[in-house]
Amino acid sequence: MEMFRVLLVDDEKEFVTTLGERLEIRGLTVRIAYDGPEALKAFEEELFDVVVLDVRMPGVSGLEILKRMKTSRPEVPIILLTGHSATRDGIEGMRLGAFDYLMKPIDIDRLLEKMREAVQGRMSKPAGGE
Amino acid sequence: MQEAVRHDAAFMGKITAGATHELKNVFAIVGESAGLLEDLLQAPSSRDFPHRERFLKALTSIRDQVRRGTHILTQLNRFAHGADSDTAAVRLSDVVENLKALSDRFLRQKALSLTLSGAVEAEEVTVQACPVSLQRLLFTGLMALAQEVPQGASLSIRTGAEADGVWCRLSRSEGVLEAEAVGAIRQILEEEDMAALLQALSATVLVQGDGVLVRLSRSGSTGPTR
């Protein structure tokens, strides 16, 4: 069983709620945010091992949220979710400090594997290192 | 008139691209919901559920169809985005992959199969062209070929580069086309609108017993023709 604390951010409520439930079945502690301001509030209130963030959202874009999160706590790995036409967003996101990006619809095992890599990568970095 | 048609195509492309994006979200929700049901049915407490195996089988089918639908939508989205620009650096391997996905329904009506040869994946062949015009040329060639081969035949697409351009060959995987079939395909590809299309793409088409050979110069097209 996984023990990560994960923040899921996506405006597609049914998608992110169901994904959250599936991750909880696998032992993760999940908090969900449906838009940028809610995500940033959660990010300030709690410590997360990893953030899974949709790139395309109304209002504050995923890339803008990424930038703000990286400014606030650069050590927290962020995995982006992109649509089929948003590969460029994924690449731009990695340039801005995202750990990686996955295309929707996602395979949950692949997402878990990516989360593990992200969390392990964070733990293996020296204290204070990016 | 030409300009108005171009704007119409761009409009259709924009609307289609937006709709495919939304539909992909729908598939994502269906896929996750099916996944959640699978997770619950796999739990030890569900082992005695009387229809467990039938549910799991149905959920596998849903997952397969989600994958299939998502693939089609991805290709349709790429096709729709082809109308974004008059001329772009187009990767031939992407064009033929797109062609394969979007022509599947038409080919299935005659039980035809289509394979992309290894060279397609291996080569990073690009051409400067109007994406929609190029797709229309290849689609017309493929449909003309499909019309002239027997039910259940296998077709193939190969692409490659040469000194001053790129080529794409649409052919039967086994056997050659009969003279009558060659003539019928030529007739389709020599129609007036196709001549204009070839000219705009700086392309040539050669139809012989071994299939349809499309050649494009690297510098490519002068603009769209729709």
Side-chain angles (χ1 to χ4, degrees):
Chain A
M1 294 287 266
E2 315 286 349
M3 298 297 288
F4 309 149
R5 289 188 60 81
V6 56
L7 173 61
L8 292 183
V9 189
D10 198 312
D11 64 303
E12 283 287 339
K13 292 188 179 178
E14 283 188 57
F15 168 75
V16 73
T17 307
T18 312
L19 178 62
E21 209 172 329
R22 298 189 72 195
L23 292 173
E24 282 174 349
I25 287 173
R26 286 159 176 80
L28 278 76
T29 303
V30 176
R31 179 160 173 182
I32 291 170
Y34 300 122
D35 58 32
E38 210 180 317
L40 291 167
K41 184 169 176 284
F43 194 72
E44 291 306 317
E45 285 174 357
E46 285 184 49
L47 288 172
F48 295 99
D49 295 304
V50 61
V51 175
V52 178
L53 174 64
D54 185 30
V55 173
R56 295 274 172 102
M57 288 191 295
V60 188
S61 77
L63 291 182
E64 183 55 36
I65 299 166
L66 167 71
K67 268 194 248 178
R68 295 193 203 173
M69 286 179 172
K70 279 288 157 190
T71 305
S72 165
R73 273 194 226 127
E75 73 280 7
V76 179
I78 298 174
I79 297 167
L80 298 175
L81 299 182
T82 70
H84 41 238
S85 59
T87 312
R88 260 178 297 175
D89 289 339
I91 294 166
E92 174 64 8
M94 288 184 74
R95 195 185 65 76
L96 293 171
F99 177 77
D100 208 342
Y101 66 93
L102 294 173
M103 300 245 290
K104 277 187 182 175
I106 51 147
D107 176 86
I108 196 155
D109 293 326
R110 195 160 143 67
L111 175 62
L112 274 172
E113 187 56 40
K114 201 56 76 183
M115 284 182 181
R116 275 187 215 109
E117 283 173 25
V119 174
Q120 281 163 8
R122 176 186 174 181
M123 288 190 307
S124 66
K125 279 181 185 160
E130 236 271 73
Chain B
M1 181 62 187
Q2 179 100 336
E3 188 71 6
V5 173
R6 192 153 61 87
H7 286 309
D8 285 348
F11 169 68
M12 281 189 69
K14 189 180 174 73
I15 296 295
T16 305
T20 55
H21 192 82
E22 281 304 291
L23 282 170
K24 205 170 174 188
N25 280 332
V26 171
F27 274 119
I29 292 167
V30 172
E32 285 308 313
S33 300
L36 176 60
L37 289 175
E38 277 180 324
D39 289 348
L40 296 173
L41 286 168
Q42 301 288 6
S45 56
S46 300
R47 292 276 149 78
D48 297 331
F49 179 60
H51 302 296
R52 186 172 172 271
E53 293 309 317
R54 289 165 71 184
F55 269 68
L56 285 171
K57 194 176 166 198
L59 289 167
T60 301
S61 172
I62 291 172
R63 201 174 44 200
D64 289 346
Q65 293 306 313
V66 164
R67 201 173 295 130
R68 177 182 170 211
T70 302
H71 177 65
I72 294 169
L73 284 176
T74 299
Q75 294 299 330
L76 184 57
N77 181 273
R78 283 184 191 158
F79 176 70
H81 276 298
D84 290 350
S85 51
D86 290 349
T87 307
V90 182
R91 233 168 48 152
L92 264 189
S93 56
D94 289 342
V95 175
V96 295
E97 191 191 345
N98 200 237
L99 177 67
K100 183 178 191 296
L102 300 180
S103 62
D104 182 62
R105 177 180 165 74
F106 300 95
L107 299 179
R108 263 191 295 127
Q109 285 170 0
K110 218 175 154 181
L112 303 174
S113 62
L114 175 64
T115 55
L116 309 179
S117 70
V120 174
E121 289 90 37
E123 292 189 43
E124 293 286 312
V125 182
T126 62
V127 60
Q128 199 68 26
C130 170
V132 175
S133 297
L134 177 55
Q135 193 62 279
R136 183 156 75 92
L137 172 62
L138 296 179
F139 181 81
T140 305
L142 183 63
M143 290 301 113
L145 177 67
Q147 195 176 298
E148 298 303 323
V149 296
Q151 182 101 3
S154 302
L155 306 179
S156 72
I157 300 181
R158 285 192 300 137
T159 60
E162 50 195 7
D164 57 346
V166 294
W167 56 264
C168 178
R169 185 186 293 279
L170 316 167
S171 56
R172 269 191 79 173
S173 300
E174 325 88 16
V176 293
L177 296 167
E178 291 176 10
E180 200 178 320
V182 170
I185 295 169
R186 272 187 195 146
Q187 199 175 350
I188 291 169
L189 294 174
E190 283 171 3
E191 283 174 8
E192 199 178 328
D193 63 326
M194 292 310 295
L197 186 63
L198 289 169
Q199 191 180 2
L201 284 165
S202 298
T204 60
V205 172
L206 184 65
V207 186
Q208 292 181 320
D210 57 357
V212 179
L213 178 64
V214 179
R215 282 196 160 103
L216 299 119
S217 87
R218 272 192 200 275
S219 53
S221 67
T222 54
T225 170
R226 294 169 192 147

